[in-house]
């Protein structure tokens, strides 16, 4: 964890809380996340391999004697007020991630009182690093501690996911919240999206860094294409189930079944399903690589994932492809791929630690020359999950 960055952010949040409420708060941090491999597998009951990173949301909370909720976003320098009796969506959007958590706690009949809350963060907005999940988990964790609610970590993550699904209106899976809550330093989380079982996979190589290149673009296709891909996967599954009703998701499908029942009917749907089935296997193989400290093989699988996302699942874009192609033949980069839903956002790269600055300079200069955009760069370290800092 980058303790210097956390301490500076913590001090700023603490000082703002005292200035607004003249009280000493409980302070909680919750991290953003990356996903090393396993993209678009979550909604097919597959496996994902995320990790918490050392970029955080810091939340300061304190009790009130009434039913009021007073919120302040440090980065936006905005305040918002509500009450426990009138939880409704805000025109500012950012309060919804907090109020959605409150609504979920109320629906589960946890005893809440009014509270004051100030938050700030250093998770880049819109880069696909899950700042929203971090805010939801920090809020749920902080209110759990503040009011001694006795909520377990898995339920913290599920409450954050439900807040985003039902109140904010984004139909995300559990990966982001789970990684934020369950992260551990120098470990990835092999999460089974079918039953939320998980295994920690070692990722401890001081000679490597995780570098994120942000395309600075987000194409308008993203949300519609995401829904279309889900529907295509469901259709492919239905074609298999006509002959093998015991196959409950693409997680359980075989390539032979795809060849026999999907390929003759719809080649595009076949490509989508083929990518998902091979990506789930690729993740399992990649975990075995990491257990053997074979980072080169793992890196090659990351490139294979990108190729599948580009040509079979078709959720990449020119800017993402350019960033991956710029490092594909660079011996200092073991692996790279687009990360997230697609059509913009970041690529994730495994880079030799002693060549990071050289790679960043070469890639950013070439990317700007090719696209006219200035790629933003983030170097991330694998971090521990949600925790109390002080209070």
């Amino acid at each position: 964890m980058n303790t210097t960055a956390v301490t500076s952010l913590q001090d700023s949040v603490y000082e703002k809380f005292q200035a607004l409420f003249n009280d000493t708060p409980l302070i909680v941090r919750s991290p953003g996340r990356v996903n090393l491999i396993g993209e678009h597998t979550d909604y097919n009951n597959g496996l994902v391999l995320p990790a918490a990173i050392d970029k955080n949301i810091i939340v300061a909370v304190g009790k009130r004697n009434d039913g009021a909720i007073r919120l302040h976003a440090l980065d936006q320098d905005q305040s918002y007020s509500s009450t426990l009796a009138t939880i409704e969506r805000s025109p500012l959007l950012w309060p919804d991630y907090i109020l959605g958590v409150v609504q979920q706690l109320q629906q589960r009949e946890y005893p809440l009182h009014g509270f004051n809350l100030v938050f700030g963060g250093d998770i880049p907005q819109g880069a696909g690093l899950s700042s929203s999940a971090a805010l939801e988990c920090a809020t749920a964790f902080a209110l759990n501690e503040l009011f001694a609610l006795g909520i377990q970590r898995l339920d913290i993550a599920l409450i954050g996911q439900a807040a985003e699904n039902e109140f904010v209106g984004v139909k995300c899976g559990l990966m982001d919240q789970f990684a934020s809550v369950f992260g551990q330093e120098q470990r990835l989380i092999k999460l089974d999206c079918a039953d939320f079982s998980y295994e920690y996979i070692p990722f401890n190589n001081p000679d490597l860094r995780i570098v994120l290149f942000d395309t600075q673009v987000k194409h308008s296709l993203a949300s519609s294409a995401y829904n279309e891909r889900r529907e295509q996967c469901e259709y492919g599954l239905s074609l298999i189930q006509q002959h093998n009703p015991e196959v409950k998701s693409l997680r359980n499908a075989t390539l032979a079944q795809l060849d026999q029942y999907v390929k003759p009917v719809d080649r595009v749907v076949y490509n989508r399903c083929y990518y998902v089935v091979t990506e789930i296997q690729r993740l399992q193989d990649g975990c075995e690589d990491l257990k053997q400290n074979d980072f080169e093989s793992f890196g090659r699988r990351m490139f294979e994932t990108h190729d599948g996302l580009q040509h079979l699942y078709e959720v990449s874009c020119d800017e993402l492809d350019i960033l991956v192609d710029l490092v594909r033949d660079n011996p200092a980069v073991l692996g790279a791929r687009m990360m997230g839903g697609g059509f913009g956002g970041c690529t994730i790269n495994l880079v030799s630690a002693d060549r990071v600055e050289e790679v960043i300079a070469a890639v950013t200069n070439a990317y700007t020359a090719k696209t006219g955009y200035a790629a933003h760069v983030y170097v991330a370290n694998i971090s521990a999950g949600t925790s109390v800092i002080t209070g």
Side-chain angles (χ1 to χ4, degrees):
M1 189 193 309
N2 187 338
T3 54
T4 302
V6 170
T7 300
S8 174
L9 185 55
Q10 174 189 338
D11 289 346
S12 298
V13 171
Y14 177 86
E15 289 166 6
K16 189 64 177 181
F17 190 94
Q18 285 225 313
L20 289 174
F21 304 117
N22 193 29
D23 191 14
T24 300
L26 168 77
I27 301 180
V28 166
R29 57 162 284 280
S30 197
R33 68 98 190 96
V34 291
N35 185 32
L36 273 294
I37 205 167
E39 209 66 78
H40 287 278
T41 53
D42 54 346
Y43 51 83
N44 289 292
N45 278 358
L47 302 164
V48 290
L49 194 65
I53 58 172
D54 59 342
K55 299 186 185 303
N56 300 277
I57 296 290
I58 305 288
V59 162
V61 293
K63 294 180 182 178
R64 296 181 60 90
N65 295 322
D66 55 20
I69 299 172
R70 299 285 186 265
L71 309 176
H72 184 82
L74 190 66
D75 302 328
Q76 289 86 358
D77 192 25
Q78 292 178 334
S79 294
Y80 186 79
S81 296
S82 184
T83 71
L84 291 172
T86 57
I87 300 296
E88 54 190 31
R89 292 184 65 173
S90 155
L92 297 177
L93 182 58
W94 63 260
D96 294 352
Y97 299 104
I98 299 166
L99 298 175
V101 168
V102 174
Q103 183 187 70
Q104 289 299 318
L105 292 172
Q106 289 179 322
Q107 289 178 358
R108 289 162 171 79
E109 298 184 349
Y110 286 108
L112 297 180
H113 302 282
F115 60 91
N116 302 315
L117 184 150
V118 174
F119 76 95
D122 61 359
I123 305 173
Q125 300 284 310
L129 302 180
S130 299
S131 57
S132 60
L135 178 54
E136 290 153 358
C137 293
T139 300
F141 198 93
L143 295 178
N144 181 46
E145 294 288 326
L146 188 68
F147 298 118
L149 303 178
I151 306 173
Q152 300 301 305
R153 281 186 176 263
L154 176 57
D155 288 324
I156 294 284
L158 288 167
I159 286 166
Q161 180 201 15
E164 188 140 351
N165 289 175
E166 298 172 21
F167 196 80
V168 179
V170 177
K171 300 300 182 184
C172 63
L174 186 65
M175 176 179 72
D176 298 351
Q177 291 83 2
F178 196 97
S180 191
V181 172
F182 283 88
Q184 289 190 0
E185 291 186 4
Q186 300 179 349
R187 289 181 170 187
L188 311 180
I189 307 168
K190 182 183 179 183
L191 172 63
D192 188 326
C193 297
D195 61 8
F196 307 141
S197 60
Y198 64 98
E199 174 189 0
Y200 287 109
I201 304 295
F203 195 91
N204 181 16
N205 188 334
D207 297 326
L208 287 178
R209 292 289 181 271
I210 295 172
V211 179
L212 305 164
F213 290 109
D214 188 344
T215 61
Q216 290 294 289
V217 301
K218 194 67 176 177
H219 294 288
S220 58
L221 286 169
S223 59
S224 60
Y226 176 85
N227 293 333
E228 182 184 48
R229 297 306 180 277
R230 290 191 70 143
E231 291 166 2
Q232 289 168 331
C233 290
E234 290 164 3
Y235 178 52
L237 176 63
S238 73
L239 292 174
I240 294 172
Q241 288 176 329
Q242 291 173 18
H243 307 274
N244 297 97
E246 73 280 2
V247 177
K248 301 303 182 186
S249 70
L250 289 182
R251 165 72 173 280
N252 311 118
T254 65
L255 293 179
Q257 289 168 338
L258 295 180
D259 286 339
Q260 187 172 0
Y261 304 124
V262 182
K263 192 174 185 179
V265 177
D266 192 316
R267 186 56 187 255
V268 171
V269 169
Y270 170 80
N271 286 345
R272 308 296 191 245
C273 297
Y274 183 92
Y275 164 76
V276 171
V277 171
T278 54
E279 177 75 347
I280 291 170
Q281 184 60 51
R282 190 157 38 239
L283 184 148
Q284 296 182 85
D285 294 339
C287 288
E288 294 307 310
D289 294 337
L290 293 176
K291 290 177 181 178
Q292 303 300 319
N293 284 317
D294 186 354
F295 288 88
E296 290 189 1
S297 293
F298 184 83
R300 285 194 293 271
R301 297 190 202 281
M302 291 175 68
F303 281 120
E304 290 171 5
T305 291
H306 184 81
D307 293 340
L309 290 164
Q310 179 182 359
H311 300 296
L312 296 174
Y313 219 64
E314 296 185 278
V315 291
S316 190
C317 62
D318 290 345
E319 294 86 358
L320 288 166
D321 297 338
I322 287 168
L323 284 173
V324 172
D325 288 342
L326 284 171
V327 300
R328 198 180 285 272
D329 297 319
N330 189 326
V333 181
L334 272 63
R337 68 173 189 86
M338 59 152 281
M339 186 181 73
F343 302 102
C346 288
T347 63
I348 181 169
N349 304 257
L350 294 187
V351 182
S352 298
D354 60 351
R355 306 266 308 270
V356 167
E357 295 305 320
E358 170 193 330
V359 169
I360 289 174
V363 170
T364 53
N365 288 337
Y367 178 74
T368 301
K370 286 177 176 289
T371 68
Y373 296 108
H376 288 193
V377 184
Y378 316 108
V379 180
N381 297 296
I382 295 175
S383 167
T386 312
S387 63
V388 172
I389 296 178
T390 181

